[in-house]
Amino acid sequence: MKIDHSLPLEYSTEQNRLKILGFWIFLGAEIMLFATLFASYFVLVNGTGNGPSGAEIFEITPVLAETILLLTSSFTIGLAIHAMRLGNKKAMLVFFGITLVLGLAFLGVEIYEFVHYVHVGAGLQTSAFTAILLTTLGTHGAHVTFGLFWGLFILLQVKKNGLTPETTNKSFIFSLYWHFLDVVWIFIFSFVYLKGMM
Amino acid sequence: MEFFERFAVPHPSPAIYASMVAIGLTVIAIFAGLTYFKKWGFLWREWLTTVDHKRIGIMYLISAILMLFRGGADAIMMRAQLAAPENKLLDAQHYNEIFSTHGVVMILFMAMPFIIGLMNFVIPLQIGARDVAFPRLNALSFWLFFAGAMLFNISFVVGGSPDAGWTSYFPLAGNDFSQSVGTNYYMIAIQIAGLGTLMTGINFLATILKMRAPGMTLMKMPMFTWSAFIANIIIVFAFPVLTVALAMGTLDRLFGANFFTSNNGGMDMLWANLFWVWGHPEVYILILPAFGIYSEVISTFARRNLYGYKSMVGSMVIISVLSFVVWVHHFFTMGQGAFVNSIFSITTMAIAVPTGVKIFNWLFTLHKGKIVITTPMLYSLLFIPLFTIGGVTGVMLGMSAADYQYHNTMFLVAHFHMVIIPGVVFAMLAGLTYYWPKMFGFMLNERIGKWSAWTIGISTLVAFMPMFFSGLDGQARRMYTYSEASGFAIWNMISFIGAAGLAVGFALIVYNIYYSFRYASRDIGSDPWDARTLEWSTHTPVPEYNFAKIPQIDSVEPFWDQKKHGKKLFEGELEKIHMPNNSGIPFIMGILFFLWGFSFIFAMWIPVIIFTLAIFGCMAYQSFEKDHGRYIPLEEVEETENKLGGNR
Ligand code: HEM
Ligand SMILES: [Cu+2]
């Protein structure tokens, strides 16, 4: 393995650079995935049938909580990567851990939100609108859930092996993923919730 | 007993029972054979766990050829049923199932793996790389494709086949009208294979962007690499749309959601739109690499460089963009109104322009070339006129007002077969014949090869030209029978003869493989066609590491320059070579996905949960696994190089 010391650790080997590029391409595919979900959402948003519309079921408090939690976690993962670049393993682990805790809290609120929807009669089967709403939110939520496990594994590896070209590469890629989920959430917040409540 | 009832075939026939027995016997024979000849270890070490792009490519090609025969059997049954009016060979339900599986198998499980197989084998060699960017991911792609294909293929003996067409339009594909698990198979099997394809797309984009030999700038890439590059961009942007559409279809069918139903706000046209937003780019994913193959073959056997390299690249870029903005032409008749239809008519017809540019480039390459007619070249020469027929009729279909007449008739069926068979299938056969010596170390017999090319070329015309006429006369597609009085009988009889001819042609290819395997010379050198690009500059058989020294490139045809102008391709000393390790995980994940999909199709939730966890378990295992690959020591490299005829 040739290590190029003029570059940050996560970019320092050929394989690392390939992985980062590959992940960016994957994010391109993810953009298409969510774009398709959003397009379908806009098509079906009025397909409420006998069920409720967005304005009738959205609650501002949990949504705001989710937004703040996820945005903050995006900030802390940025701090974690910053610490990683400075070679400060401990700070990195702390910020990384905080990120995951915030992610978990986000997920908790989202689960609460889902339970609420089902309670007020907006289940998956209710109408096309509720189906696309839950699918869009659910896809994002599933990504967060996946990210929590993935992040936890990386955390353990950094803890055990320290900051190596491999672990920094994984952490960096994870941070890309996490920021991406944040961006998607901003779209969800604006075009699903805000637009729906207005 | 009740548990097993769900696996029964809802609409059985003696032929289906016979197939069950045949499948069972084949499986037993394979297992017994492997055990008897003690080949399990070999199979596991050399193939099931391989991450070598060449072997993965070959496995894709073998699967594709198997699927060609599965889809071909469907085709023969359909043509036999339609050969005479009021024929009783198949009933309506069986006919529905057969045309549905035929379409899916041919497009997703035959044509896709065929091009991906060729890409796998050729691209790293063509760009002077030792493997793809993510070899293990590549193996996973293959096993996901394979799991999806197998899952789809067992549908007709376990639980029933999909019967709503390869387009699976809702509400027909919804629970009300498709009650068997058939359409579940469609949703899940394609989903699994589609994930594999998406990973292939990512993998090859990274490979082509980052792993080219030094000096090979983008505009010095061989044309096949270019075409694969563009096709993979389309894959990355189109396949997620299919992923979402299939997920929504699954939710509708298995969880009672209302995306595409006719009540509770559902919208069936959303499926049609999503399907074709993926579906039209998909046909270009198939045809662009095919164009790439033709470019390689035509330039090799016209013995000159490809005419209009830049315009070839430019036209593919334009095609890739346009391919995303034409999808509505598949349902002009479904009520978008004149304005929308007109826009999509114009974009559709516009695609013919860059396509035409490519045709003329090939013609200009041939012009002033010194043409050598070999089997691959013969396919390429047959392609040009036949594909043009398909393309021109495509433009006819693209005029929305006229399409009200042609839509959903045999005219449409004739169009897409005349583009896909001469376009994609001929290219695959040309590519297979062309790269065969590089893959297996002997050539396919030219005489039999040319016979099969002519048989297939002529039979294509005989099989599909009549459909243009019966279609214009009003014969609808996907109808299992017609009356004597309609007058369609003669056209369909001719078609049937053509289909039989195609079967003969493909059988000839199989015979050729057998014949050449037994009798062909093994002493063919590494460049039997006198070709021009890098893949021919390494040894045959290609060593595991492809190139002992990484080549230095300074033109589009580096190998030709080496041969004719004495340019040095390989400089420097031999070194130890870093290679990835084999891994069993992709194969195991393939099996898990198969079982997961199967349980999902039959809504058996406990196994679904177990297999989901197992799949994630594999991923977790990979995350913690430490695998830095291995080095092939210098002595071993030297030894291999000497054995293969001297170090290059
Ligand atoms: C010159 C370029 C082309 C044009 C203008 C064109 C136009 C069209 C149009 C307008 C339709 C829909 C007709 C209808 O449903 O009434 C169609 C169907 C189709 N085309 Fe093309 N096409 C072109 C090239 C191709 C190529 C290169 C392929 C494949 C490699 C292809 C594959 C198909 C398929 C599979 C369908 C039918 C799908 C179905 O309904 O089952 N076409 N084409
Ligand atoms: Cu199309």
mmCIF file of all heavy atoms in Angstrom, chain A residues 1 15 18 21-22 25 29 32 36 43 47 125-128 131-132 135 153 157 166 170, chain B residues 133-134 202 205 210 237 240-241 251 255-256 258-259 264-265 267 619-620 623-624 628 631:
data_model
loop_
_atom_site.group_PDB
_atom_site.id
_atom_site.type_symbol
_atom_site.label_atom_id
_atom_site.label_comp_id
_atom_site.label_asym_id
_atom_site.label_seq_id
_atom_site.Cartn_x
_atom_site.Cartn_y
_atom_site.Cartn_z
ATOM 1 N N MET A 1 0.840 -1.198 0.000
ATOM 2 C CA MET A 1 0.000 0.000 0.000
ATOM 3 C C MET A 1 0.875 1.248 0.000
ATOM 4 O O MET A 1 1.651 1.456 0.918
ATOM 5 C CB MET A 1 -0.886 -0.028 1.244
ATOM 6 C CG MET A 1 -2.086 0.845 1.108
ATOM 7 S SD MET A 1 -3.335 0.530 2.389
ATOM 8 C CE MET A 1 -2.437 -0.231 3.717
ATOM 9 N N GLN A 15 -6.531 3.312 -3.205
ATOM 10 C CA GLN A 15 -7.805 2.665 -2.916
ATOM 11 C C GLN A 15 -8.719 3.622 -2.159
ATOM 12 O O GLN A 15 -9.921 3.666 -2.395
ATOM 13 C CB GLN A 15 -7.540 1.381 -2.104
ATOM 14 C CG GLN A 15 -8.715 0.434 -2.007
ATOM 15 C CD GLN A 15 -9.209 -0.051 -3.367
ATOM 16 O OE1 GLN A 15 -8.455 -0.123 -4.329
ATOM 17 N NE2 GLN A 15 -10.496 -0.350 -3.460
ATOM 18 N N LEU A 18 -10.222 6.024 -4.585
ATOM 19 C CA LEU A 18 -11.260 5.344 -5.367
ATOM 20 C C LEU A 18 -12.546 5.243 -4.560
ATOM 21 O O LEU A 18 -13.648 5.445 -5.076
ATOM 22 C CB LEU A 18 -10.800 3.931 -5.716
ATOM 23 C CG LEU A 18 -9.995 3.744 -6.980
ATOM 24 C CD1 LEU A 18 -9.537 2.304 -7.087
ATOM 25 C CD2 LEU A 18 -10.825 4.116 -8.187
ATOM 26 N N LEU A 21 -14.368 8.560 -4.397
ATOM 27 C CA LEU A 21 -15.031 8.849 -5.671
ATOM 28 C C LEU A 21 -16.258 7.959 -5.842
ATOM 29 O O LEU A 21 -17.342 8.424 -6.200
ATOM 30 C CB LEU A 21 -14.068 8.632 -6.836
ATOM 31 C CG LEU A 21 -14.743 8.792 -8.195
ATOM 32 C CD1 LEU A 21 -15.011 10.262 -8.475
ATOM 33 C CD2 LEU A 21 -13.933 8.187 -9.319
ATOM 34 N N GLY A 22 -16.069 6.662 -5.571
ATOM 35 C CA GLY A 22 -17.186 5.733 -5.722
ATOM 36 C C GLY A 22 -18.360 6.151 -4.859
ATOM 37 O O GLY A 22 -19.513 6.076 -5.283
ATOM 38 N N ILE A 25 -20.293 8.917 -6.379
ATOM 39 C CA ILE A 25 -21.174 8.437 -7.454
ATOM 40 C C ILE A 25 -22.411 7.798 -6.839
ATOM 41 O O ILE A 25 -23.535 8.009 -7.307
ATOM 42 C CB ILE A 25 -20.422 7.449 -8.363
ATOM 43 C CG1 ILE A 25 -19.205 8.136 -8.976
ATOM 44 C CG2 ILE A 25 -21.323 6.931 -9.459
ATOM 45 C CD1 ILE A 25 -18.281 7.187 -9.714
ATOM 46 N N ALA A 29 -26.581 8.483 -7.220
ATOM 47 C CA ALA A 29 -27.713 7.565 -7.349
ATOM 48 C C ALA A 29 -28.734 7.821 -6.250
ATOM 49 O O ALA A 29 -29.948 7.782 -6.491
ATOM 50 C CB ALA A 29 -27.218 6.124 -7.292
ATOM 51 N N MET A 32 -30.965 10.611 -7.111
ATOM 52 C CA MET A 32 -32.037 10.189 -8.012
ATOM 53 C C MET A 32 -33.138 9.461 -7.250
ATOM 54 O O MET A 32 -34.326 9.622 -7.535
ATOM 55 C CB MET A 32 -31.480 9.257 -9.096
ATOM 56 C CG MET A 32 -30.838 9.956 -10.253
ATOM 57 S SD MET A 32 -31.839 11.268 -10.959
ATOM 58 C CE MET A 32 -33.142 10.347 -11.756
ATOM 59 N N THR A 36 -36.889 10.850 -7.087
ATOM 60 C CA THR A 36 -38.059 10.095 -7.547
ATOM 61 C C THR A 36 -39.129 10.089 -6.468
ATOM 62 O O THR A 36 -40.323 10.249 -6.753
ATOM 63 C CB THR A 36 -37.659 8.656 -7.889
ATOM 64 O OG1 THR A 36 -36.513 8.690 -8.717
ATOM 65 C CG2 THR A 36 -38.777 7.941 -8.603
ATOM 66 N N VAL A 43 -46.798 14.373 -6.970
ATOM 67 C CA VAL A 43 -47.897 13.875 -7.798
ATOM 68 C C VAL A 43 -49.050 13.401 -6.915
ATOM 69 O O VAL A 43 -50.221 13.611 -7.232
ATOM 70 C CB VAL A 43 -47.395 12.729 -8.696
ATOM 71 C CG1 VAL A 43 -48.552 12.013 -9.360
ATOM 72 C CG2 VAL A 43 -46.442 13.268 -9.747
ATOM 73 N N GLY A 47 -53.756 13.222 -3.430
ATOM 74 C CA GLY A 47 -54.509 11.965 -3.501
ATOM 75 C C GLY A 47 -54.863 11.478 -2.114
ATOM 76 O O GLY A 47 -54.464 10.387 -1.710
ATOM 77 N N GLN A 125 -52.007 2.235 4.500
ATOM 78 C CA GLN A 125 -53.061 1.842 3.568
ATOM 79 C C GLN A 125 -54.133 2.896 3.373
ATOM 80 O O GLN A 125 -55.012 2.740 2.541
ATOM 81 C CB GLN A 125 -53.723 0.555 4.084
ATOM 82 C CG GLN A 125 -52.701 -0.542 4.321
ATOM 83 C CD GLN A 125 -53.335 -1.843 4.727
ATOM 84 O OE1 GLN A 125 -54.478 -1.880 5.153
ATOM 85 N NE2 GLN A 125 -52.590 -2.929 4.583
ATOM 86 N N THR A 126 -54.055 3.979 4.154
ATOM 87 C CA THR A 126 -55.161 4.927 4.140
ATOM 88 C C THR A 126 -55.391 5.557 2.772
ATOM 89 O O THR A 126 -56.489 5.524 2.231
ATOM 90 C CB THR A 126 -54.912 6.036 5.180
ATOM 91 O OG1 THR A 126 -54.555 5.420 6.399
ATOM 92 C CG2 THR A 126 -56.148 6.898 5.344
ATOM 93 N N SER A 127 -54.347 6.154 2.224
ATOM 94 C CA SER A 127 -54.525 6.812 0.933
ATOM 95 C C SER A 127 -53.187 6.870 0.229
ATOM 96 O O SER A 127 -52.146 6.557 0.812
ATOM 97 C CB SER A 127 -55.055 8.238 1.127
ATOM 98 O OG SER A 127 -54.062 9.026 1.743
ATOM 99 N N ALA A 128 -53.237 7.282 -1.029
ATOM 100 C CA ALA A 128 -51.977 7.411 -1.765
ATOM 101 C C ALA A 128 -51.089 8.443 -1.086
ATOM 102 O O ALA A 128 -49.874 8.276 -0.999
ATOM 103 C CB ALA A 128 -52.262 7.824 -3.203
ATOM 104 N N ALA A 131 -49.472 6.976 1.940
ATOM 105 C CA ALA A 131 -48.480 5.969 1.539
ATOM 106 C C ALA A 131 -47.183 6.634 1.100
ATOM 107 O O ALA A 131 -46.097 6.244 1.533
ATOM 108 C CB ALA A 131 -49.047 5.108 0.416
ATOM 109 N N ILE A 132 -47.290 7.667 0.273
ATOM 110 C CA ILE A 132 -46.051 8.282 -0.220
ATOM 111 C C ILE A 132 -45.389 9.077 0.895
ATOM 112 O O ILE A 132 -44.153 9.142 0.988
ATOM 113 C CB ILE A 132 -46.300 9.146 -1.477
ATOM 114 C CG1 ILE A 132 -44.972 9.605 -2.100
ATOM 115 C CG2 ILE A 132 -47.135 10.366 -1.187
ATOM 116 C CD1 ILE A 132 -44.152 8.507 -2.690
ATOM 117 N N THR A 135 -43.657 6.503 2.992
ATOM 118 C CA THR A 135 -42.546 5.896 2.260
ATOM 119 C C THR A 135 -41.366 6.855 2.176
ATOM 120 O O THR A 135 -40.213 6.458 2.366
ATOM 121 C CB THR A 135 -42.995 5.505 0.847
ATOM 122 O OG1 THR A 135 -44.155 4.689 0.963
ATOM 123 C CG2 THR A 135 -41.925 4.721 0.127
ATOM 124 N N PHE A 153 -20.110 0.903 14.018
ATOM 125 C CA PHE A 153 -19.007 0.004 13.658
ATOM 126 C C PHE A 153 -17.726 0.792 13.407
ATOM 127 O O PHE A 153 -16.637 0.380 13.805
ATOM 128 C CB PHE A 153 -19.361 -0.820 12.419
ATOM 129 C CG PHE A 153 -20.518 -1.745 12.619
ATOM 130 C CD1 PHE A 153 -21.232 -2.245 11.546
ATOM 131 C CD2 PHE A 153 -20.897 -2.117 13.905
ATOM 132 C CE1 PHE A 153 -22.300 -3.097 11.741
ATOM 133 C CE2 PHE A 153 -21.966 -2.968 14.106
ATOM 134 C CZ PHE A 153 -22.671 -3.448 13.023
ATOM 135 N N GLN A 157 -14.091 0.739 15.308
ATOM 136 C CA GLN A 157 -12.820 0.480 14.615
ATOM 137 C C GLN A 157 -11.804 1.580 14.867
ATOM 138 O O GLN A 157 -10.611 1.311 15.025
ATOM 139 C CB GLN A 157 -13.077 0.318 13.120
ATOM 140 C CG GLN A 157 -13.807 -0.973 12.808
ATOM 141 C CD GLN A 157 -14.223 -1.077 11.353
ATOM 142 O OE1 GLN A 157 -13.519 -0.659 10.454
ATOM 143 N NE2 GLN A 157 -15.387 -1.654 11.118
ATOM 144 N N GLU A 166 -7.217 3.534 6.645
ATOM 145 C CA GLU A 166 -8.495 2.852 6.470
ATOM 146 C C GLU A 166 -9.612 3.452 7.307
ATOM 147 O O GLU A 166 -10.696 3.736 6.805
ATOM 148 C CB GLU A 166 -8.334 1.385 6.828
ATOM 149 C CG GLU A 166 -8.070 0.568 5.612
ATOM 150 C CD GLU A 166 -8.297 -0.896 5.826
ATOM 151 O OE1 GLU A 166 -8.421 -1.338 6.983
ATOM 152 O OE2 GLU A 166 -8.348 -1.594 4.825
ATOM 153 N N LYS A 170 -13.012 5.466 6.076
ATOM 154 C CA LYS A 170 -14.385 5.063 6.401
ATOM 155 C C LYS A 170 -15.126 6.198 7.087
ATOM 156 O O LYS A 170 -16.290 6.483 6.780
ATOM 157 C CB LYS A 170 -14.362 3.843 7.317
ATOM 158 C CG LYS A 170 -13.968 2.568 6.610
ATOM 159 C CD LYS A 170 -14.069 1.387 7.546
ATOM 160 C CE LYS A 170 -13.580 0.119 6.848
ATOM 161 N NZ LYS A 170 -13.677 -1.059 7.685
ATOM 162 N N ALA B 133 -12.466 -1.114 -9.960
ATOM 163 C CA ALA B 133 -12.156 -0.329 -8.766
ATOM 164 C C ALA B 133 -12.481 -1.111 -7.495
ATOM 165 O O ALA B 133 -11.733 -1.070 -6.524
ATOM 166 C CB ALA B 133 -12.929 0.992 -8.789
ATOM 167 N N PHE B 134 -13.619 -1.793 -7.492
ATOM 168 C CA PHE B 134 -14.045 -2.506 -6.280
ATOM 169 C C PHE B 134 -14.345 -3.960 -6.639
ATOM 170 O O PHE B 134 -15.499 -4.320 -6.888
ATOM 171 C CB PHE B 134 -15.287 -1.832 -5.685
ATOM 172 C CG PHE B 134 -15.147 -0.345 -5.570
ATOM 173 C CD1 PHE B 134 -15.928 0.496 -6.348
ATOM 174 C CD2 PHE B 134 -14.224 0.219 -4.703
ATOM 175 C CE1 PHE B 134 -15.799 1.874 -6.260
ATOM 176 C CE2 PHE B 134 -14.081 1.590 -4.603
ATOM 177 C CZ PHE B 134 -14.862 2.418 -5.393
ATOM 178 N N ILE B 202 -21.793 2.045 -10.539
ATOM 179 C CA ILE B 202 -20.878 2.828 -9.706
ATOM 180 C C ILE B 202 -19.443 2.327 -9.888
ATOM 181 O O ILE B 202 -18.506 3.100 -10.092
ATOM 182 C CB ILE B 202 -21.309 2.722 -8.233
ATOM 183 C CG1 ILE B 202 -22.685 3.373 -8.055
ATOM 184 C CG2 ILE B 202 -20.277 3.369 -7.321
ATOM 185 C CD1 ILE B 202 -23.301 3.133 -6.693
ATOM 186 N N LEU B 205 -17.946 3.278 -13.313
ATOM 187 C CA LEU B 205 -17.640 4.700 -13.441
ATOM 188 C C LEU B 205 -16.346 5.009 -12.714
ATOM 189 O O LEU B 205 -15.449 5.676 -13.245
ATOM 190 C CB LEU B 205 -18.778 5.548 -12.868
ATOM 191 C CG LEU B 205 -20.025 5.648 -13.736
ATOM 192 C CD1 LEU B 205 -20.995 6.645 -13.138
ATOM 193 C CD2 LEU B 205 -19.669 6.060 -15.145
ATOM 194 N N LYS B 210 -10.806 6.529 -12.904
ATOM 195 C CA LYS B 210 -9.580 6.608 -12.112
ATOM 196 C C LYS B 210 -8.507 5.607 -12.483
ATOM 197 O O LYS B 210 -7.384 5.731 -12.021
ATOM 198 C CB LYS B 210 -9.934 6.379 -10.635
ATOM 199 C CG LYS B 210 -10.567 7.589 -9.985
ATOM 200 C CD LYS B 210 -9.519 8.344 -9.222
ATOM 201 C CE LYS B 210 -10.139 9.560 -8.566
ATOM 202 N NZ LYS B 210 -9.180 10.408 -7.929
ATOM 203 N N PHE B 237 -28.113 6.920 -13.011
ATOM 204 C CA PHE B 237 -29.229 7.852 -12.869
ATOM 205 C C PHE B 237 -30.586 7.234 -13.130
ATOM 206 O O PHE B 237 -31.597 7.748 -12.672
ATOM 207 C CB PHE B 237 -29.006 9.080 -13.772
ATOM 208 C CG PHE B 237 -27.966 9.988 -13.203
ATOM 209 C CD1 PHE B 237 -26.675 9.996 -13.695
ATOM 210 C CD2 PHE B 237 -28.265 10.796 -12.114
ATOM 211 C CE1 PHE B 237 -25.701 10.804 -13.136
ATOM 212 C CE2 PHE B 237 -27.298 11.612 -11.544
ATOM 213 C CZ PHE B 237 -26.016 11.611 -12.059
ATOM 214 N N PRO B 240 -32.126 3.991 -9.932
ATOM 215 C CA PRO B 240 -32.837 4.333 -8.692
ATOM 216 C C PRO B 240 -34.327 4.594 -8.923
ATOM 217 O O PRO B 240 -35.148 4.331 -8.046
ATOM 218 C CB PRO B 240 -32.117 5.588 -8.208
ATOM 219 C CG PRO B 240 -30.746 5.453 -8.744
ATOM 220 C CD PRO B 240 -30.908 4.815 -10.088
ATOM 221 N N VAL B 241 -34.658 5.093 -10.106
ATOM 222 C CA VAL B 241 -36.077 5.325 -10.388
ATOM 223 C C VAL B 241 -36.824 3.990 -10.379
ATOM 224 O O VAL B 241 -37.919 3.864 -9.812
ATOM 225 C CB VAL B 241 -36.249 6.032 -11.750
ATOM 226 C CG1 VAL B 241 -37.709 6.289 -12.037
ATOM 227 C CG2 VAL B 241 -35.447 7.310 -11.788
ATOM 228 N N LEU B 251 -45.146 -2.392 -2.114
ATOM 229 C CA LEU B 251 -45.988 -1.933 -1.002
ATOM 230 C C LEU B 251 -47.467 -2.069 -1.369
ATOM 231 O O LEU B 251 -48.293 -2.461 -0.550
ATOM 232 C CB LEU B 251 -45.660 -0.482 -0.656
ATOM 233 C CG LEU B 251 -44.317 -0.265 0.036
ATOM 234 C CD1 LEU B 251 -44.001 1.213 0.179
ATOM 235 C CD2 LEU B 251 -44.303 -0.925 1.407
ATOM 236 N N PHE B 255 -48.539 -4.876 1.042
ATOM 237 C CA PHE B 255 -48.886 -4.170 2.271
ATOM 238 C C PHE B 255 -50.133 -3.318 2.106
ATOM 239 O O PHE B 255 -50.415 -2.455 2.938
ATOM 240 C CB PHE B 255 -47.714 -3.309 2.736
ATOM 241 C CG PHE B 255 -46.480 -4.108 3.043
ATOM 242 C CD1 PHE B 255 -45.512 -4.291 2.078
ATOM 243 C CD2 PHE B 255 -46.310 -4.697 4.286
ATOM 244 C CE1 PHE B 255 -44.374 -5.042 2.351
ATOM 245 C CE2 PHE B 255 -45.186 -5.450 4.567
ATOM 246 C CZ PHE B 255 -44.215 -5.621 3.599
ATOM 247 N N GLY B 256 -50.839 -3.519 1.012
ATOM 248 C CA GLY B 256 -52.103 -2.827 0.830
ATOM 249 C C GLY B 256 -52.015 -1.324 0.694
ATOM 250 O O GLY B 256 -52.961 -0.608 0.994
ATOM 251 N N ASN B 258 -51.708 2.274 -1.496
ATOM 252 C CA ASN B 258 -52.550 2.710 -2.607
ATOM 253 C C ASN B 258 -51.840 3.637 -3.572
ATOM 254 O O ASN B 258 -52.386 4.655 -3.972
ATOM 255 C CB ASN B 258 -53.784 3.429 -2.067
ATOM 256 C CG ASN B 258 -54.749 2.459 -1.457
ATOM 257 O OD1 ASN B 258 -55.294 1.616 -2.146
ATOM 258 N ND2 ASN B 258 -54.923 2.552 -0.150
ATOM 259 N N PHE B 259 -50.616 3.295 -3.937
ATOM 260 C CA PHE B 259 -49.918 4.170 -4.876
ATOM 261 C C PHE B 259 -50.555 4.141 -6.252
ATOM 262 O O PHE B 259 -50.800 5.159 -6.862
ATOM 263 C CB PHE B 259 -48.461 3.724 -5.022
ATOM 264 C CG PHE B 259 -47.621 3.994 -3.834
ATOM 265 C CD1 PHE B 259 -47.197 2.971 -3.022
ATOM 266 C CD2 PHE B 259 -47.259 5.296 -3.513
ATOM 267 C CE1 PHE B 259 -46.397 3.219 -1.924
ATOM 268 C CE2 PHE B 259 -46.466 5.556 -2.422
ATOM 269 C CZ PHE B 259 -46.041 4.514 -1.612
ATOM 270 N N ASN B 264 -58.823 5.631 -3.266
ATOM 271 C CA ASN B 264 -58.043 6.248 -2.195
ATOM 272 C C ASN B 264 -56.900 7.121 -2.709
ATOM 273 O O ASN B 264 -55.842 7.204 -2.104
ATOM 274 C CB ASN B 264 -57.462 5.189 -1.250
ATOM 275 C CG ASN B 264 -58.554 4.488 -0.480
ATOM 276 O OD1 ASN B 264 -59.535 5.122 -0.098
ATOM 277 N ND2 ASN B 264 -58.400 3.202 -0.268
ATOM 278 N N GLY B 265 -57.140 7.756 -3.836
ATOM 279 C CA GLY B 265 -56.158 8.723 -4.319
ATOM 280 C C GLY B 265 -55.023 8.155 -5.143
ATOM 281 O O GLY B 265 -54.151 8.894 -5.586
ATOM 282 N N MET B 267 -52.786 6.513 -8.231
ATOM 283 C CA MET B 267 -52.715 6.971 -9.613
ATOM 284 C C MET B 267 -51.955 5.957 -10.455
ATOM 285 O O MET B 267 -50.739 5.831 -10.338
ATOM 286 C CB MET B 267 -52.014 8.325 -9.657
ATOM 287 C CG MET B 267 -52.104 8.989 -11.002
ATOM 288 S SD MET B 267 -51.185 10.508 -11.019
ATOM 289 C CE MET B 267 -52.241 11.549 -10.028
ATOM 290 N N MET B 619 -22.830 -7.751 6.039
ATOM 291 C CA MET B 619 -22.251 -6.429 5.813
ATOM 292 C C MET B 619 -21.426 -6.008 7.021
ATOM 293 O O MET B 619 -20.334 -5.436 6.884
ATOM 294 C CB MET B 619 -23.355 -5.414 5.522
ATOM 295 C CG MET B 619 -23.985 -5.650 4.159
ATOM 296 S SD MET B 619 -25.579 -4.865 3.971
ATOM 297 C CE MET B 619 -25.107 -3.219 3.616
ATOM 298 N N ALA B 620 -21.921 -6.306 8.216
ATOM 299 C CA ALA B 620 -21.173 -5.957 9.419
ATOM 300 C C ALA B 620 -19.843 -6.709 9.434
ATOM 301 O O ALA B 620 -18.792 -6.145 9.729
ATOM 302 C CB ALA B 620 -21.992 -6.303 10.652
ATOM 303 N N SER B 623 -17.455 -5.090 7.311
ATOM 304 C CA SER B 623 -16.966 -3.827 7.840
ATOM 305 C C SER B 623 -15.771 -4.066 8.760
ATOM 306 O O SER B 623 -14.802 -3.314 8.755
ATOM 307 C CB SER B 623 -18.094 -3.111 8.582
ATOM 308 O OG SER B 623 -17.591 -2.002 9.272
ATOM 309 N N PHE B 624 -15.844 -5.143 9.557
ATOM 310 C CA PHE B 624 -14.770 -5.385 10.516
ATOM 311 C C PHE B 624 -13.620 -6.189 9.931
ATOM 312 O O PHE B 624 -12.539 -6.233 10.497
ATOM 313 C CB PHE B 624 -15.324 -6.115 11.746
ATOM 314 C CG PHE B 624 -16.096 -5.197 12.641
ATOM 315 C CD1 PHE B 624 -17.481 -5.193 12.645
ATOM 316 C CD2 PHE B 624 -15.430 -4.304 13.462
ATOM 317 C CE1 PHE B 624 -18.190 -4.330 13.452
ATOM 318 C CE2 PHE B 624 -16.128 -3.439 14.289
ATOM 319 C CZ PHE B 624 -17.500 -3.445 14.279
ATOM 320 N N HIS B 628 -6.294 -6.689 3.201
ATOM 321 C CA HIS B 628 -5.467 -5.761 2.441
ATOM 322 C C HIS B 628 -5.004 -6.365 1.136
ATOM 323 O O HIS B 628 -4.062 -5.879 0.535
ATOM 324 C CB HIS B 628 -4.265 -5.324 3.274
ATOM 325 C CG HIS B 628 -4.668 -4.528 4.470
ATOM 326 N ND1 HIS B 628 -5.124 -3.232 4.366
ATOM 327 C CD2 HIS B 628 -4.737 -4.833 5.782
ATOM 328 C CE1 HIS B 628 -5.431 -2.778 5.570
ATOM 329 N NE2 HIS B 628 -5.220 -3.731 6.451
ATOM 330 N N TYR B 631 0.142 -9.896 -2.307
ATOM 331 C CA TYR B 631 1.096 -9.606 -3.368
ATOM 332 C C TYR B 631 1.453 -10.876 -4.112
ATOM 333 O O TYR B 631 1.702 -11.907 -3.497
ATOM 334 C CB TYR B 631 2.366 -8.989 -2.788
ATOM 335 C CG TYR B 631 2.216 -7.513 -2.538
ATOM 336 C CD1 TYR B 631 1.940 -7.032 -1.272
ATOM 337 C CD2 TYR B 631 2.320 -6.615 -3.597
ATOM 338 C CE1 TYR B 631 1.784 -5.679 -1.051
ATOM 339 C CE2 TYR B 631 2.167 -5.257 -3.385
ATOM 340 C CZ TYR B 631 1.904 -4.794 -2.115
ATOM 341 O OH TYR B 631 1.732 -3.466 -1.910
#
